Amino acid sequence: MLRFSNFLFPESRDPDRDADVIADCIAEAKLCDELGVEVLWLAEHHFDGNCAYVDPVTFAAAVLTATKRIKVGFAVAQVSLHHPMRLAEQMSLLDNIGKGRVIVGLGRGTAYNVYEYQGYGIPHEEAGERYEEAEGIMLKAWTSPDGFTHEGKHWTLKVPRLRPTPFTQPHPYMIRAASSEDGALHLARRGVPFLMNVQSNETTAKRLAMYRETMAGAGFDAAHIADCLDQSWVWRNVVVAPTDEEARRIGIPAFEAMQEHRKTLREKIYAEQGIIMKREVVPPARVGIDTGLIVGSPATVAAKMAEIEATGVGGVICSFRLGPMPADVAAASIRLFMEEVAPRFATTVAAAAE
């Protein structure tokens, strides 16, 4: 059964409109809760307006109190920018507020936005090793009722006991991001599910096949592999309207404006600092209309979702509000998706069960 979620990733180009965009986000969260969206995913990006609420941990508390049943996930918390004990405490608190509705999505963050690390005074070259050490600390914090000590490269800790204790035992549900093939295979060898960034369906299918093979080679049985695939998610940008023409009229300009804004801002900051950007010989899938955007009528979008379902992944993280797209346009797209696209998959599953 293919499951659906919403990636709440709102752009705010004008600092004077930050409060309005944040208010829009709460409204979108409530709408998703009402419509039966499974998960609302939150991003973390700083200083550039690409994510208006900036701090997903604080914002998650607001979303959890404003909603009743939807899960709130992180896609992802940039672990390298956080003290691991502080993050462990915050996630445990959120787990209690939401009575188990939190999905702790972790990642090292992106090296593209080097200014995020600079703003926090953390060398971006240390992101990967900080992430690995911090994840281990967080797991020990959640599962050590008598406290623990830790001596590592970046942190030396003596912790009596974490409070509040997690609502979910033995710890809040955790998932890791893997933006590269190597990252996905690393998680396959650990036998855990993962979040995949925007990729073409061809790359998605290839990567998931390698993920299955690697898990099997690491000794995991078929049931465990199937469970991990079911719990894994892939990200897509999605715009739905009554007709293909209307969807393309709305979606393509918003998608292109979003990509151009992010590219221009990054290049501006890099130029100011004299940083030489790595040139990409082939544009990544996330920036191409054919590979980075699903746009069309409910029937067209459902067909695209069926192609994703055929890869064997369990869920799709849909970004509905793209770039400068107005909140009401995104809301209409979400409603149409949940009322006319998502039920087609539920019906298929029910029919197969019969």
Side-chain angles (χ1 to χ4, degrees), residues 41 74-77 104-110 131-132 135 174-190 192-199 203-204 207-208 210-211 231-236 286 313 317:
W41 299 94
F74 297 83
V76 293
V104 181
L106 302 180
R108 70 172 181 83
T110 171
Y131 167 37
E132 295 294 338
E135 181 188 306
M174 182 187 291
I175 193 167
R176 292 85 172 167
S179 59
S180 67
E181 183 178 290
D182 287 344
L185 299 185
H186 170 71
L187 295 178
R189 285 187 286 272
R190 292 176 60 181
V192 295
F194 71 104
L195 306 174
M196 187 188 299
N197 58 353
V198 176
Q199 298 289 345
T203 297
T204 299
R207 194 168 294 180
L208 288 173
M210 295 177 68
Y211 177 80
Q231 294 180 56
S232 294
W233 299 79
V234 296
W235 175 14
R236 296 293 189 271
R286 69 177 185 276
V313 76
I317 302 173

Side-chain angles (χ1 to χ4, degrees), residues 75-148:
V76 293
Q78 294 196 50
V79 180
S80 305
L81 302 182
H82 296 263
H83 190 290
M85 281 306 305
R86 180 71 168 176
L87 190 58
E89 287 178 331
Q90 290 170 319
M91 293 298 178
S92 188
L93 174 59
L94 292 174
D95 190 42
N96 278 275
I97 292 172
K99 296 294 188 290
R101 288 192 284 140
V102 171
I103 299 176
V104 181
L106 302 180
R108 70 172 181 83
T110 171
Y112 284 112
N113 296 350
V114 67
Y115 47 85
E116 294 186 309
Y117 297 95
Q118 293 172 341
Y120 276 82
I122 295 172
H124 68 88
E125 299 88 354
E126 296 179 359
E129 61 189 40
R130 282 178 173 268
Y131 167 37
E132 295 294 338
E133 185 176 344
E135 181 188 306
I137 290 171
M138 292 173 67
L139 285 169
K140 284 192 287 187
W142 288 327
T143 58
S144 301
D146 298 323
F148 69 97

Side-chain angles (χ1 to χ4, degrees), residues 2-261:
L2 191 65
R3 307 189 313 280
F4 301 107
S5 59
N6 178 16
F7 197 179
L8 191 57
F9 200 157
E11 177 184 295
S12 179
R13 300 188 181 190
D14 180 359
D16 292 337
R17 290 208 64 247
D18 286 352
D20 293 334
V21 177
I22 292 168
D24 290 342
C25 290
I26 295 293
E28 187 170 321
K30 291 179 178 179
L31 175 65
C32 290
D33 193 40
E34 294 167 4
L35 293 174
V37 176
E38 182 172 334
V39 185
L40 189 76
W41 299 94
L42 305 180
E44 178 176 3
H45 285 292
H46 302 269
F47 313 125
D48 54 18
N50 284 338
C51 183
Y53 50 76
V54 178
D55 178 5
V57 179
T58 304
F59 191 67
V63 171
L64 287 166
T65 55
T67 57
K68 296 180 180 178
R69 45 134 243 109
I70 195 169
K71 296 176 184 177
V72 177
F74 297 83
V76 293
Q78 294 196 50
V79 180
S80 305
L81 302 182
H82 296 263
H83 190 290
M85 281 306 305
R86 180 71 168 176
L87 190 58
E89 287 178 331
Q90 290 170 319
M91 293 298 178
S92 188
L93 174 59
L94 292 174
D95 190 42
N96 278 275
I97 292 172
K99 296 294 188 290
R101 288 192 284 140
V102 171
I103 299 176
V104 181
L106 302 180
R108 70 172 181 83
T110 171
Y112 284 112
N113 296 350
V114 67
Y115 47 85
E116 294 186 309
Y117 297 95
Q118 293 172 341
Y120 276 82
I122 295 172
H124 68 88
E125 299 88 354
E126 296 179 359
E129 61 189 40
R130 282 178 173 268
Y131 167 37
E132 295 294 338
E133 185 176 344
E135 181 188 306
I137 290 171
M138 292 173 67
L139 285 169
K140 284 192 287 187
W142 288 327
T143 58
S144 301
D146 298 323
F148 69 97
T149 59
H150 173 85
E151 293 185 9
K153 180 175 181 179
H154 298 286
W155 294 280
T156 298
L157 309 170
K158 183 175 177 59
V159 182
R161 180 180 182 177
L162 181 135
R163 299 289 298 276
T165 56
F167 178 87
T168 303
Q169 291 296 317
H171 58 76
Y173 179 77
M174 182 187 291
I175 193 167
R176 292 85 172 167
S179 59
S180 67
E181 183 178 290
D182 287 344
L185 299 185
H186 170 71
L187 295 178
R189 285 187 286 272
R190 292 176 60 181
V192 295
F194 71 104
L195 306 174
M196 187 188 299
N197 58 353
V198 176
Q199 298 289 345
S200 67
N201 286 347
E202 180 182 5
T203 297
T204 299
K206 176 186 174 184
R207 194 168 294 180
L208 288 173
M210 295 177 68
Y211 177 80
R212 292 186 190 94
E213 293 171 5
T214 301
M215 287 191 73
F220 296 99
D221 63 25
H224 185 83
I225 294 171
D227 184 59
C228 284
L229 285 167
D230 184 61
Q231 294 180 56
S232 294
W233 299 79
V234 296
W235 175 14
R236 296 293 189 271
N237 298 296
V238 179
V239 178
V240 194
T243 66
D244 287 344
E245 293 75 15
E246 178 69 3
R248 293 178 67 83
R249 184 187 69 80
I250 293 169
I252 291 178
F255 177 79
E256 291 179 331
M258 177 180 72
Q259 300 297 347
E260 184 60 29
H261 173 69

Side-chain angles (χ1 to χ4, degrees), residues 251-272:
I252 291 178
F255 177 79
E256 291 179 331
M258 177 180 72
Q259 300 297 347
E260 184 60 29
H261 173 69
R262 293 179 181 179
K263 178 175 180 288
T264 300
L265 180 61
R266 186 178 295 130
E267 288 180 347
K268 175 179 180 293
I269 293 176
Y270 276 34
E272 290 172 350

